[in-house]
Amino acid sequence: MKARVTVTLKTGVLDPQGKAIEGALGSLGVAGLASVRQGKVFDIEIADGLGKAEAEAALKDAAEKLLANTVVENYRIEIGG
């Protein structure tokens, strides 16, 4: 089973890296983009024998302990087949 944890900055938190990317895209001639916010994606392989509920609990634990700074970041967990 595979999972993806997507971590993004909370609304209202300044994103200097996103602003830098936005500026770079503009200087490269990419038009029509109003705003860029950057984040992180973690693709994780779930150990065999772990049920979906157990996997979700383990992923939540991993996100809250290491993958995301929950003071300024949100995270979303997606579990696939």
Side-chain angles (χ1 to χ4, degrees):
M1 186 170 20
K2 296 183 183 208
R4 175 169 282 176
V5 178
T6 304
V7 179
T8 56
L9 288 169
K10 290 182 177 182
T11 303
V13 175
L14 295 177
D15 184 1
Q17 189 172 1
K19 282 292 184 196
I21 294 166
E22 185 180 321
L25 289 170
S27 69
L28 291 171
V30 178
L33 305 179
S35 177
V36 176
R37 307 260 309 160
Q38 66 88 34
K40 304 177 270 194
V41 174
F42 299 91
D43 289 324
I44 300 172
E45 185 80 27
I46 305 299
D48 291 338
L50 207 60
K52 188 170 182 175
E54 295 168 310
E56 189 164 356
L59 291 163
K60 182 178 182 205
D61 194 33
E64 291 184 2
K65 288 183 177 176
L66 179 67
L67 303 180
N69 176 351
T70 57
V71 174
V72 295
E73 294 175 318
N74 293 316
Y75 63 88
R76 182 178 71 246
I77 296 170
E78 302 168 70
I79 299 176

